[in-house]
Amino acid sequence: MKKYTTCLKQIISVVLVVIILVGFVWISLLRINHRLDFTTLWGYRYRLWQGFKMTLIMAFASLFVSLFIGSVAAVAQKAKFLTVSYLAKFYVQVIRGTPLLVQIFFFFYIIGTAWGVDNRYVAGVLILSLFEGAYIAEIIRGGLESIDRQQFELAKAVGLTPAKTFRLVTFPLLMARILPALTGQFASIIKDSSLLSVIAIPELTQITQEISADNYRLFENYFFLGLLYFVMTFTVSLITRRLERKYKHENSSE
Amino acid sequence: MKKFFVVLAVALMAAVLFCGCTEKKDELVVGMELAYPPFETKDEQGKPYGVSVALAEALGEYLGKPVRIENINWDGLIPSLETGRVDLVISSMTITEERAKTVDFSAPYAHAYLALLVNKNSPVEKVEDLNHPERIVAVKKGTTGHVYAQNHLQHATINALSAESACVTEVIQGKADAFIYDQLTIYRQNQANPENTRAVLIPFQESEKWGIAVKKGNKKLLEQINAFLKDFRAAGGFEKLTELFLAEEKKTFDALGFPWFFE
């Protein structure tokens, strides 16, 4: 009987929340006399689909490149050669400390042009990866530092080579610790890719802005845009929840 | 005790929220995008300045109402009219059939032609040369240049950027063959970048008429605006504006034989 009432409570609460949120948006729309018409989006479905694919491609490409850059930067910070270490630290601090918009303009119109990176898709992926790489570097660094020294001492005592230590000890422990943060970062990559619209890369936000310039239906267009981004990031978080469970089992000895 | 503070906090928040709903002041709210010198821009202190600002203030004087300028980005201008955030839009906006479906336009107060800012190394001589798969066109999102490119330059790659400065930069750096925008701006940008750009100022289509936009159905304000424009023109208001803001450009246009904006 108790289980039934708590379940009922949950359902009622969910319904209430939905009513409150939808109600708030509805009243806001009434206040500005806006007539909703989502069918206006149907005519643009081909371009929206192209934009959706482009966002996914840019985000995925950036994921891999930024993971690489982040790993290198995290390890480089511990390098014995001081210049390398400082370079990595400087990179992380500056990139994390400046807005992506500033970086896009700086790297595309100045550095990119100076060194011949004219293809804006390549430039877009590189800029986004450079940006996210700095955050990933911090995540990895934090993860590495949180691993108990004992683990490494034990590995040495058991006679594991550095390579084996990494594969059997460091990597699984690191994964378990940083996977939640890394997914958050991948969701960020997907959302931050929207800023690439300022250099006219035809991803989802750029397409939506062009459509808005055509039909002025800001509410329908941007609501749908938000929905599409949410679908992408939510899918990512569902996938990583399964991955987290996998790594938790492997480390249950903790 | 805890509950009391919670209730107090909620009451304070509610009070602050409702304070936001003030009564409407009797002022004329004019929307424009302050990114288009010398028509809509800001002075050194950051206050709105330019031809359209002066026109708006003259309108305010005529109607006997104080004027408040709202700086809104280009794509937000028409939606702002629809939702009542601004009363009218004076932003060098071209009257088009598409836009006239959503807003009402005044009688035209100026006319402009589109022109091309071309990269020095590009083979483009006239606008038709752009309609080729190897050509790249930069346009500003939502402008008539963008519409022209979509309708007439289907073979080219069209890059729609949000800022005029980005479009000009792309032409200078050779990332685009040409930027389609109004004659006056193209002329100015060409003057500012003589080593990297050429200007193709010869009109390639009918002139575009600029109008003041009001919310659809706002007949009263529209009539007042049209009456104001008639008076203003008869009193030589547009010549004064030209003298104040566009003296250099008028000389060049006269020398090149192009019709002037306000004729």
Side-chain angles (χ1 to χ4, degrees):
Chain A
M1 188 61 196
K2 240 189 186 172
K3 246 195 182 161
Y4 178 70
T5 43
T6 36
C7 192
L8 192 63
K9 268 196 202 162
Q10 286 179 328
I11 295 176
I12 293 180
S13 309
V14 168
V15 170
L16 265 174
V17 167
V18 169
I19 291 178
I20 292 174
L21 291 175
V22 171
F24 176 70
V25 175
W26 195 267
I27 296 176
S28 309
L29 285 174
L30 281 176
R31 285 178 69 128
I32 56 173
N33 271 316
H34 182 96
R35 271 155 282 113
L36 265 187
D37 186 10
F38 279 97
T39 58
T40 51
L41 285 166
W42 183 248
Y44 297 100
R45 62 193 181 285
Y46 177 71
R47 288 168 67 183
L48 284 168
W49 174 237
Q50 299 293 96
F52 186 75
K53 283 193 287 182
M54 178 61 65
T55 296
L56 281 176
I57 294 172
M58 298 247 105
F60 263 102
S62 304
L63 175 67
F64 291 116
V65 181
S66 63
L67 272 173
F68 175 70
I69 295 179
S71 317
V72 168
V75 169
Q77 285 183 56
K78 297 221 157 56
K80 290 199 200 100
F81 191 34
L82 221 54
T83 318
V84 171
S85 163
Y86 280 0
L87 211 68
K89 288 192 178 142
F90 193 73
Y91 154 71
V92 169
Q93 288 304 318
V94 171
I95 298 292
R96 275 168 57 107
T98 49
L100 178 56
L101 187 62
V102 169
Q103 291 175 33
I104 292 177
F105 280 124
F106 181 72
F107 286 114
F108 184 60
Y109 288 117
I110 300 177
I111 306 291
T113 310
W115 295 91
V117 183
D118 280 324
N119 183 324
R120 61 186 75 223
Y121 299 93
V122 171
V125 170
L126 286 177
I127 296 170
L128 194 57
S129 306
L130 204 68
F131 180 71
E132 304 287 349
Y135 292 83
I136 290 178
E138 283 297 277
I139 292 172
I140 294 178
R141 188 178 67 87
L144 281 173
E145 281 174 13
S146 75
I147 298 176
D148 205 2
R149 302 227 107 225
Q150 255 194 350
Q151 299 284 345
F152 296 118
E153 287 169 16
L154 281 168
K156 224 180 185 177
V158 169
L160 291 177
T161 61
K164 278 226 170 104
T165 314
F166 179 76
R167 192 160 61 88
L168 300 168
V169 178
T170 322
F171 189 74
L173 282 173
L174 189 64
M175 274 300 117
R177 270 148 229 261
I178 67 175
L179 215 46
L182 272 188
T183 5
Q185 213 43 51
F186 188 34
S188 282
I189 294 180
I190 294 173
K191 291 180 290 167
D192 293 338
S193 71
S194 69
L195 222 45
L196 291 177
S197 57
V198 299
I199 48 175
I201 291 182
E203 44 79 63
L204 210 43
T205 303
Q206 169 74 354
I207 303 290
T208 304
Q209 287 179 321
E210 289 179 10
I211 294 174
S212 291
D214 236 10
N215 69 9
Y216 310 118
R217 300 200 148 268
L218 287 187
F219 183 80
E220 288 89 337
N221 295 339
Y222 283 95
F223 180 80
F224 190 62
L225 182 68
L227 196 67
L228 286 175
Y229 275 109
F230 183 69
V231 163
M232 284 190 272
T233 52
F234 193 63
T235 310
V236 166
S237 71
L238 283 178
I239 294 176
T240 21
R241 228 174 271 185
R242 301 183 87 203
L243 276 176
E244 275 177 46
R245 249 180 271 152
K246 174 180 176 224
Y247 277 101
K248 254 207 180 121
H249 284 308
E250 289 196 359
N251 288 292
S252 54
S253 56
E254 286 186 36
Chain B
M1 198 56 197
K2 205 180 183 178
K3 261 198 185 165
F4 171 71
F5 278 116
V6 170
V7 171
L8 186 66
V10 172
L12 271 171
M13 278 200 292
V16 169
L17 268 171
F18 280 111
C19 273
C21 320
T22 44
E23 331 84 52
K24 282 209 150 194
K25 288 194 233 145
D26 189 29
E27 55 181 4
L28 201 64
V29 186
V30 184
M32 50 178 82
E33 182 184 39
L34 296 174
Y36 191 52
F39 293 95
E40 299 96 37
T41 184
K42 291 187 183 175
D43 61 16
E44 306 90 46
Q45 276 92 33
K47 288 175 55 212
Y49 174 81
V51 177
S52 300
V53 177
L55 192 61
E57 298 193 332
L59 177 63
E61 253 191 76
Y62 179 85
L63 294 176
K65 283 191 189 173
V67 168
R68 180 159 62 92
I69 312 270
E70 280 277 330
N71 187 6
I72 299 171
N73 65 301
W74 185 256
D75 331 312
L77 284 171
I78 290 186
S80 297
L81 272 178
E82 285 186 285
T83 59
R85 201 173 142 201
V86 298
D87 297 314
L88 57 143
V89 164
I90 309 181
S91 198
S92 310
M93 185 177 276
T94 305
I95 301 173
T96 66
E97 262 181 57
E98 198 58 45
R99 291 172 184 164
K101 285 188 199 156
T102 339
V103 297
D104 284 338
F105 280 106
S106 69
Y109 66 89
H111 64 153
Y113 291 93
L114 288 177
L116 304 175
L117 186 71
V118 184
N119 178 268
K120 263 259 166 75
N121 303 323
S122 169
V124 172
E125 301 277 322
K126 48 193 193 309
V127 75
E128 291 81 21
D129 295 342
L130 276 173
N131 195 10
H132 190 273
E134 281 179 23
R135 302 278 82 84
I136 304 175
V137 183
V139 292
K140 182 169 157 167
K141 269 186 270 234
T143 59
T144 45
H146 189 184
V147 174
Y148 181 85
Q150 285 176 319
N151 292 337
H152 296 99
L153 305 173
Q154 283 95 349
H155 293 131
T157 308
I158 303 173
N159 284 334
L161 301 159
S162 359
E164 180 190 307
S165 52
C167 295
V168 173
T169 309
E170 297 231 346
V171 169
I172 292 175
Q173 293 185 346
K175 290 183 158 71
D177 286 280
F179 171 35
I180 307 179
Y181 214 45
D182 77 282
Q183 261 180 336
L184 187 62
T185 312
I186 297 292
Y187 170 74
R188 285 175 138 224
Q189 292 299 342
N190 181 230
Q191 295 299 100
N193 302 287
E195 324 85 46
N196 297 308
T197 64
R198 279 182 286 124
V200 175
L201 295 171
I202 303 166
F204 45 83
Q205 52 164 32
E206 290 292 306
S207 76
E208 310 187 325
K209 316 270 184 297
W210 291 0
I212 298 178
V214 300
K215 184 172 179 168
K216 207 154 201 42
N218 193 348
K219 284 213 177 77
K220 178 162 175 249
L221 187 56
L222 200 59
E223 278 167 14
Q224 289 176 321
I225 292 175
N226 282 332
F228 158 75
L229 285 173
K230 254 202 182 139
D231 268 9
F232 192 71
R233 190 176 289 276
F238 287 112
E239 277 81 37
K240 281 210 207 82
L241 287 178
T242 306
E243 257 184 67
L244 272 173
F245 299 101
L246 300 162
E248 280 297 314
E249 287 82 357
K250 175 108 189 3
K251 278 197 223 130
T252 316
F253 269 50
D254 284 345
L256 289 169
F258 291 140
W260 182 240
F261 276 113
F262 298 126
E263 270 142 38

